[in-house]
Amino acid sequence: MTIEMEAPPLNTGTHEQIDFLRASIGSVLIGQEDVIDQVLVTLLCRGHVLLEGVPGLGKTLLVRALATCFSGHFRRIQFTPDLMPADMTGHAIYDMKEGRFHVRRGPVFTNLLLADEINRSPAKTQAALLEVMQEQQVTIEGKPHALSPPFMVLATQNPIEQEGTYPLPEAELDRFLMKVFIDYPAFEDETRLVRQVTGGSLSMAAISERLSEALTPADILALQQAAEQVTLDDEVLGYAVRLVQATRNASSILKGAGPRASIGLVSAAKAWALMNRRDFVLPDDIKQVALPVLRHRILLAPESEIDGFTPDRVLQQLVQTVDAPRT
């Protein structure tokens, strides 16, 4: 079936802002264009992202670079085994003079939250982050306290060093729209990075000086609304749902992805289309975002792991088996 649609006129200001974010972060995080795009897709979808990579590849730098382009509030929490939920969400303090409790808000009351090494805190602390990520509110002493939009959690974890870590529960993993891998840079990119850092031309202070205007929270909310308004044909929607449902029937997968994966896949495809200056979603947009949206939502069968398969490899094979609508 051929899908035909007339795209509404493009919003030039929207694309200029997206290009500004891409270029600004790319000037700091050299050679990681795919990672930057996936993080921006997550931002446009009002989602949260889990960044995974060995130390020294720029996970924290990426988040700080995004914060530099954004005039909203930015906080960082270093997750450790002794971090308590109240250290993150806040707590109530009794004022002896006034005879009443005052709420002291924790670092989660921000726009961009960097959860550094999130898998180093026990389950109780990780569970406290669930309400924040899903409901965008914090309950203190039985009273809900809403967070100011936009709100985005950017969590990091090290895939190699597992001593003293606590694996993220599936319920928490499912709250992340994307799981993004940061790999080693190419030789040319690493050479350029080393030259700029050792020459003093690449630092957050230098980047801040070069940025004339940072985006406001209202700008981010407008970009998120623009992504939601991207046109989605019923055939493409059906393709996304069939792809997610195929993970539940594959023999190589023990546990497939749930409906939240279908929602995330469509939302991410809309954002990817917008970032590529289109107001409608193509089947290729679904394929482009499938791996980062689905890789942390499936559990491989034991025989697949024994054979050396990875979630990405299984998903790549699965995408080839699901027929996409023609465009």
Side-chain angles (χ1 to χ4, degrees):
M1 176 180 294
T2 301
I3 301 173
E4 295 181 357
M5 62 183 67
E6 181 179 351
L10 295 174
N11 186 331
T12 306
T14 295
H15 297 299
E16 288 178 347
Q17 291 176 338
I18 292 175
D19 292 342
F20 164 78
L21 291 173
R22 270 176 161 163
S24 300
I25 301 175
S27 65
V28 178
L29 196 70
I30 299 173
Q32 300 287 0
E33 289 79 9
D34 290 343
V35 172
I36 295 172
D37 284 347
Q38 291 170 11
V39 169
L40 291 181
V41 163
T42 305
L43 175 65
L44 295 180
C45 294
R46 310 176 193 266
H48 312 289
V49 63
L50 179 62
L51 301 168
E52 185 172 294
V54 299
L57 294 184
K59 298 185 295 295
T60 305
L61 180 64
L62 166 62
V63 183
R64 289 193 176 277
L66 177 59
T68 303
C69 307
F70 176 57
S71 64
H73 297 290
F74 164 69
R75 297 285 183 87
R76 173 182 177 180
I77 302 176
Q78 182 65 48
F79 279 67
T80 57
D82 59 348
L83 182 71
M84 300 299 294
D87 298 331
M88 181 175 58
T89 60
H91 52 274
I93 300 178
Y94 186 75
D95 191 320
M96 297 292 292
K97 294 182 179 179
E98 298 184 7
R100 63 188 182 92
F101 286 94
H102 290 280
V103 174
R104 176 174 294 178
R105 297 189 170 190
V108 296
F109 287 90
T110 185
N111 298 121
L112 295 177
L113 176 64
L114 171 57
D116 216 357
E117 295 189 290
I118 188 174
N119 57 336
R120 291 203 171 276
S121 286
K124 185 176 182 179
T125 302
Q126 293 180 13
L129 195 60
L130 282 177
E131 180 188 17
V132 183
M133 295 173 63
Q134 183 66 26
E135 306 296 337
Q136 296 195 13
Q137 70 174 24
V138 175
T139 301
I140 302 177
E141 297 296 324
K143 295 182 179 180
H145 299 266
L147 276 65
S148 300
F151 174 71
M152 180 181 183
V153 174
L154 302 101
T156 70
Q157 67 177 13
N158 180 355
I160 305 299
E161 187 179 359
Q162 299 300 326
E163 183 177 354
T165 62
Y166 302 83
L168 300 183
E170 294 180 4
E172 185 172 1
L173 281 174
D174 202 33
R175 262 65 175 187
F176 289 102
L177 175 68
M178 286 188 170
K179 181 179 182 180
V180 178
F181 293 141
I182 302 184
D183 205 350
Y184 294 103
F187 174 80
E188 295 78 7
D189 295 325
E190 189 166 350
T191 302
R192 177 185 167 200
L193 172 67
V194 173
R195 180 181 296 111
Q196 293 190 17
V197 171
T198 56
S201 61
L202 182 57
S203 65
M204 295 311 303
I207 297 301
S208 299
E209 293 176 359
R210 292 206 300 264
L211 296 180
S212 57
E213 295 183 4
L215 299 186
T216 64
D219 292 331
I220 300 298
L221 292 175
L223 289 176
Q224 293 173 343
Q225 292 174 357
E228 293 173 346
Q229 294 170 2
V230 171
T231 302
L232 178 68
D233 185 86
D234 288 342
E235 289 293 326
V236 180
L237 172 61
Y239 171 61
V241 175
R242 288 197 306 273
L243 187 59
V244 173
Q245 290 191 342
T247 65
R248 306 168 196 169
N249 303 319
S251 59
S252 56
I253 299 177
L254 183 63
K255 183 189 73 69
R260 190 178 279 118
S262 300
I263 298 172
L265 192 57
V266 169
S267 298
K270 283 187 172 186
W272 180 252
L274 181 66
M275 291 179 61
N276 286 273
R277 298 179 174 268
R278 278 184 284 102
D279 288 328
F280 57 91
V281 179
L282 297 174
D284 284 346
D285 298 327
I286 302 291
K287 296 178 181 179
Q288 182 68 35
V289 300
L291 263 62
V293 170
L294 297 176
R295 61 166 58 113
H296 58 295
R297 291 185 162 100
I298 64 172
L299 180 63
L300 295 185
E303 54 270 19
S304 298
E305 294 183 338
I306 293 175
D307 292 338
F309 283 83
T310 63
D312 281 15
R313 184 177 174 185
V314 170
L315 288 171
Q316 287 171 347
Q317 295 177 351
L318 196 64
V319 169
Q320 297 175 357
T321 64
V322 180
D323 292 333
R326 297 179 180 179
T327 58

